[in-house]
Structures are given as structure tokens and as C-alpha cells.
């Protein structure tokens, strides 16, 4: 088979800035060993997130110029609405400024004290909005999804038996919604099978619980179904997407992911009463229902991006890029989550840096080492992000210590990706020299964004 190439050519380029190792050491120290404090111009390859960092196509940029900025009844809204109706089969489409705004509106209405929202895995903003409403979120991920180094085709699946058990324990009347996140972002970008969605829907239907899809990466998930699930190998991705959404009562979406846009989101659903309530909240927070916190040009770019993302040449290149890095790292002995997910590579920092105890944040230490070695910016998904303290201020660590390298859509070429793997392997060869970190300052919530750290020195060995 021939090389899978980037299915685009480059019309406009954006420079990236080179720094020396010495400069990066100073930059990282001044950023308190926290990548969120590094200025983007000091980063060579930015893999902090795939959210809103997408490269738009010439068609999308043309759409930006054509965007209709009318306050009410914009043409761009109708293009946006029709595109989403066609893909999801859902008659009601509500634009929002990004995914979490959809979540805030939805859970303000259906959440509240004494309620439980069940899911394969709730993304952190989804969970935060559920908890903010007073409700509780319950993750019911399948067993294989919890084992990072053990490959399985659909590690994002929901545990259907655990779902039945939870409904039995909590009572169906206290569960206003089931959410399936595709792909499972917090679980390594792993896909959910069509069969699993069908089985979950059946349980929800029997118990009168609506099913919503957190659809941020629906196209990536549908492509995995095409590659891995029997009966779908010859179906176009658009048909797979239509079937996937046909099992759902509604969806939330961040257009910063699989709409290949830089901002935006939406809610779509069948239930008119719920939609009316959503629109009432929309008007006080986001705006009139035909723009919902977005400019007409954004609606246009999203509508175009939602069709481009289902192009199978694009998806093949997209999924292959992640798999390509993963394969190279596995061959070099670097411990990574397997199989490759849809949008990011996850390095197991606990295995990568066994000499650094979790109290000294091995994931964050690795993030710093990757930056110093090659100007590559990733993010820790471990005890800095999810760790808590017990009564004696002792760290209760996260389940895993991961470093995520998220790949922005259509932004980097194969040589950028080759460079990243070279940097990781170089750091792996020098791993024994990496030191752990200590927190010197931290906020009470979501501390990974603004915590300040320093090198822990001799404590780590
Ligand atoms: C990014 C994301 C969200 C939130 O979307 P924002 O646009 O960042 O507000 C929700 N769910 C998942 C799975 C996501 O990846």
C-alpha cells in the first residue's frame, strides 16, 4: 500500500518560531513548569489540544466572507440548521458559542439535586455542568476501557450491565438523561461501537430515559465503526453517522472539534417542550435562536466543516496520523495507550518515569521535558489535573498519570509528526535525568490551568 498522504495542499502558511534549548529552559521556569503559561509563540509544535485549533479549508474561509450577519433569520443559520438536521435527523437545532454552553443550558433544565446522569465517561466540562446543577454524574465505562496498554476495538463502550444495575439502584425516575460521549475523550479518544449504542438505547427505552450523544468527535467515531465493526465496512461515513444519531433523542456538540471550526457548538433534539425551555435560556445567555452566541460567518464555517469532516480521505489521514505516532512509539518501547485513539496520543508517564513518585507529578515532569527537548507542548492528564487531597493534605492520586499529545485537525504534516516522535524518543532515552515537580501555588478548582510548580530536586530519587 502507498503512503497515506495529507488530503490537501497548502495555500496559506503560518510561521512557527524556533527557540534554543537554553531559551526554552528559561521560558519553562518563568512559566512555573505549567504549559498553560507558555506563550504560544514560544511553542514549536503545539499539541496542547485539538479544540478550536483546526485549520479551516478554502471553502470555509469563503463561507466566512459569505456569512450573513443578520440578527434574525440569517441565511447562514438556515444552512447550519439544514446541515445538522440532515446528519442527525433531529428536527430542532439550537446554536451555542461552544460545547459547554450547550451543556449549561441542557443541565440547568434537566439536572438538579437528587438526579443522576449516567454515561460511558462524562467529559470534564459536562461533569462540571451536571454537578453545578446539583446533580451527580456517573461514569459506567466498559472494563477494557480502563486498561491503557491492553488493545481492544471499542474501549469507549458503556458497560450495559452496570447501566442496568445503576438504573435499578437509583431508580429510572431519578435519571433524566444518559449521555454517550463519542469518541470517549477522557478515556483516550476511544470509540463506541454501534452495537453498544443500540444496546444502551434499548435499556434507556425500556426505562424511559432519553439518550443524548456528546457528539464532539462523531465523525472520528463513525470512521472507527467503519474500520472495526462488522457490517459497516462498505457503508459511507454519512450513513453510519445517520444511524448513530437515529438512536439518540438529542445531542450536544462542540464545533471546535469535528466541525473543523475555531469556535461554536450546538444542541439538537426531537423533544419540542425541552427545546422551548432550552431556547428560553439561550436568549438570556447566548442570544437569539438563529445565532446563539455566534457570528453568521461562524455558522457558515461550521456548516461547511461538518460536511468536510465526513470525507473519508480526510478521516483516513486523520486516524492514520495518530496511529502512525503510536506505532513508532511502541516500536521504540515508549509506553503508550493502545490502540491509538481518534485525536490524541497518550503516554503513560508512570511507566515512562518510574523513578518519580506520583506525589512529584511524573506527567507534568514529562510535559516539561518534551518542551525543553523540542519545543513540543502537550498536557498532563493525571494527578495534577485530577488529584485531590485527604484530611492530612496528602495527595490522593488520579487513576492514571498520562501525557496527552492532541493533534489539531489538518494543521501539521507528516514531517512535523516525525519530528514529534523523535523528540519523545530522545526524551525517553534520557528519562533517568528527568526530575519530579512540586506545587508552590494552586487554586482550589481546576488547578492544572493555573498551578505554579518548581523542580523538586533530590526528593525524587
Ligand atoms: C471539548 C469537549 C466538550 C466541551 O466543548 P467546548 O467547546 O470546549 O466547550 C464537551 N465534550 C467533549 C467530549 C469535548 O471533547
Amino acid at each position: 500500500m502507498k503512503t497515506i498522504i495529507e488530503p490537501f495542499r497548502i495555500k496559506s502558511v503560518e510561521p512557527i518560531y524556533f527557540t534554543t534549548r537554553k531559551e526554552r529552559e528559561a521560558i519553562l521556569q518563568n512559566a512555573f513548569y505549567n504549559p498553560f503559561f507558555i506563550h504560544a509563540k514560544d511553542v514549536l509544535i503545539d499539541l496542547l489540544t485539538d479544540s478550536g485549533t483546526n485549520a479551516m479549508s478554502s471553502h470555509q474561509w469563503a463561507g466566512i466572507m459569505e456569512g450573513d450577519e443578520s440578527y434574525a433569520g440569517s441565511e447562514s443559520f438556515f444552512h447550519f440548521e439544514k446541515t445538522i438536521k440532515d446528519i442527525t435527523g433531529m428536527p430542532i437545532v439550537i446554536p451555542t458559542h461552544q460545547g459547554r454552553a450547550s451543556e449549561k443550558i441542557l443541565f440547568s433544565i434537566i439536572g438538579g439535586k437528587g438526579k443522576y446522569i449516567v454515561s460511558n465517561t462524562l467529559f470534564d466540562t459536562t461533569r462540571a455542568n451536571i454537578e453545578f446543577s446539583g446533580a451527580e454524574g456517573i461514569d459506567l465505562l466498559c472494563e477494557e476501557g480502563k486498561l491503557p496498554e491492553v488493545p481492544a476495538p471499542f474501549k469507549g463502550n458503556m458497560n450495559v450491565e452496570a447501566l442496568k444495575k445503576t438504573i435499578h439502584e437509583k431508580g429510572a425516575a431519578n435519571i433524566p438523561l444518559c449521555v454517550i460521549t463519542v469518541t470517549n475523550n477522557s478515556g483516550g479518544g476511544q470509540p463506541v461501537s454501534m452495537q453498544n449504542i443500540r444496546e444502551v438505547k434499548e435499556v434507556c427505552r425500556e426505562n424511559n430515559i432519553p439518550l443524548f450523544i456528546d457528539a464532539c468527535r462523531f465523525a472520528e467515531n463513525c470512521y472507527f465503526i467503519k474500520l472495526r465493526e462488522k457490517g459497516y465496512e462498505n457503508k459511507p461515513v454519512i450513513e453510519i453517522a445517520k444511524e448513530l444519531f437515529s438512536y439518540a433523542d438529542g445531542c450536544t456538540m462542540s464545533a471546535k472539534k469535528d466541525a473543523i471550526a475555531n469556535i461554536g457548538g450546538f444542541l439538537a433534539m426531537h423533544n419540542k417542550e425541552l427545546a422551548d425551555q432550552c431556547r428560553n435560556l439561550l436568549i438570556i445567555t447566548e442570544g437569539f435562536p438563529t445565532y446563539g452566541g455566534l457570528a453568521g460567518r461562524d455558522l457558515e464555517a461550521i456548516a461547511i466543516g461538518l460536511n468536510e469532516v465526513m470525507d473519508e480521505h480526510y478521516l483516513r489521514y486523520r486516524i492514520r496520523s495518530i496511529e502512525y505516532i503510536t506505532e513508532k512509539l511502541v516500536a521504540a518501547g515508549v509506553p503508550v495507550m493502545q490502540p491509538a485513539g481518534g485525536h490524541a496520543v497518550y503516554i503513560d508517564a508512570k511507566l515512562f518515569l518510574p523513578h518519580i513518585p506520583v506525589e512529584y507529578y511524573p506527567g507534568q515532569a514529562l510535559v516539561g521535558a518534551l518542551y525543553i527537548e523540542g519545543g513540543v507542548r502537550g498536557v498532563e492528564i493525571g494527578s495534577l489535573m485530577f488529584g485531590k487531597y485527604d484530611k492530612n493534605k496528602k495527595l490522593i492520586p488520579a487513576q492514571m498519570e498520562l501525557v496527552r499529545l492532541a493533534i489539531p485537525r489538518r494543521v501539521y504534516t507528516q514531517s512535523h509528526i516525525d519530528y514529534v516522535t523523535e523528540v519523545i524518543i530522545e526524551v525517553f532515552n534520557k528519562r533517568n535525568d528527568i526530575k519530579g515537580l512540586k506545587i508552590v501555588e494552586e487554586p482550589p478548582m481546576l488547578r492544572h490551568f493555573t498551578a505554579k510548580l518548581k523542580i523538586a530536586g533530590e526528593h525524587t530519587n
Side-chain angles (χ1 to χ4, degrees), residues 229-454:
E229 194 163 347
K230 216 167 164 289
Y232 292 94
E233 44 286 73
N234 297 317
K235 284 208 171 136
V237 164
I238 175 71
E239 293 307 318
I240 301 174
K242 284 182 176 175
E243 181 183 341
L244 187 151
F245 285 112
S246 76
Y247 301 118
D249 299 281
C251 68
T252 55
M253 171 85 186
S254 167
K256 301 173 78 172
K257 323 289 171 54
D258 266 356
I260 327 188
N262 302 121
I263 194 70
F266 59 84
L267 265 163
M269 63 191 75
H270 288 278
N271 185 328
K272 186 172 175 311
E273 278 156 53
L274 178 62
D276 286 342
Q277 286 177 284
C278 289
R279 287 202 182 105
N280 287 341
L281 279 185
L282 187 82
I283 289 190
I284 44 177
T285 57
E286 297 284 295
F288 189 72
T290 63
Y291 71 85
L294 293 170
R297 53 182 172 269
D298 299 324
L299 296 167
E300 201 60 52
I302 293 165
I304 296 166
L306 283 171
N307 282 314
E308 290 182 352
V309 78
M310 288 185 290
D311 176 284
E312 294 182 23
H313 292 289
Y314 160 74
L315 282 167
R316 186 164 69 148
Y317 139 81
R318 170 79 178 150
I319 298 303
R320 177 60 192 154
S321 324
I322 323 287
E323 188 185 59
Y324 176 79
I325 313 179
T326 306
E327 275 172 13
K328 284 196 155 190
L329 295 180
V330 169
V334 177
V336 289
M337 187 179 273
Q338 293 191 63
H343 68 290
V345 183
Y346 294 75
I347 304 173
D348 188 329
K350 224 188 268 185
L351 293 177
F352 195 109
L353 299 171
H355 62 285
I356 303 183
V358 292
E359 291 77 15
Y360 295 98
Y361 304 103
Q364 192 74 358
L366 179 53
V367 166
L370 294 173
Y371 177 71
I372 288 178
E373 184 63 41
V376 175
R377 175 157 71 169
V379 68
E380 190 249 28
I381 303 204
S383 292
L384 184 67
M385 192 179 269
F386 296 124
K388 300 214 160 84
Y389 294 113
D390 69 11
K391 283 188 295 261
N392 305 318
K393 256 239 144 201
K394 193 175 150 44
L395 180 78
I396 308 168
Q399 244 181 30
M400 293 189 261
E401 303 296 334
L402 302 175
V403 169
R404 184 186 77 181
L405 302 168
I407 312 297
R409 292 168 187 76
R410 302 192 294 208
V411 170
Y412 294 116
T413 64
Q414 185 172 345
S415 57
H416 290 121
I417 296 291
D418 282 332
Y419 171 84
V420 169
T421 58
E422 285 160 19
V423 169
I424 299 167
I425 292 166
E426 189 65 35
V427 170
F428 190 58
N429 293 336
K430 300 183 199 162
R431 62 191 179 278
N432 293 331
D433 301 335
I434 300 172
K435 295 197 166 67
L437 299 167
K438 269 202 300 214
I439 294 177
V440 291
E441 210 182 295
E442 61 183 302
M445 278 170 76
L446 293 173
R447 65 177 179 167
H448 58 286
F449 287 126
T450 54
K452 296 180 176 173
L453 299 98
K454 66 171 193 184

Side-chain angles (χ1 to χ4, degrees), residues 61 127 142 208 242 244 264 357 395:
W61 282 109
R127 175 173 285 281
C142 65
N208 239 329
K242 284 182 176 175
L244 187 151
L395 180 78

Side-chain angles (χ1 to χ4, degrees), residues 98-100 103 123 125 181 185 214 216-217 254 256-257:
Q98 64 180 80
R100 69 197 69 183
E103 296 164 353
F123 181 64
T125 60
T181 310
N185 185 357
D214 178 339
C216 294
R217 296 180 183 77
S254 167
K256 301 173 78 172
K257 323 289 171 54

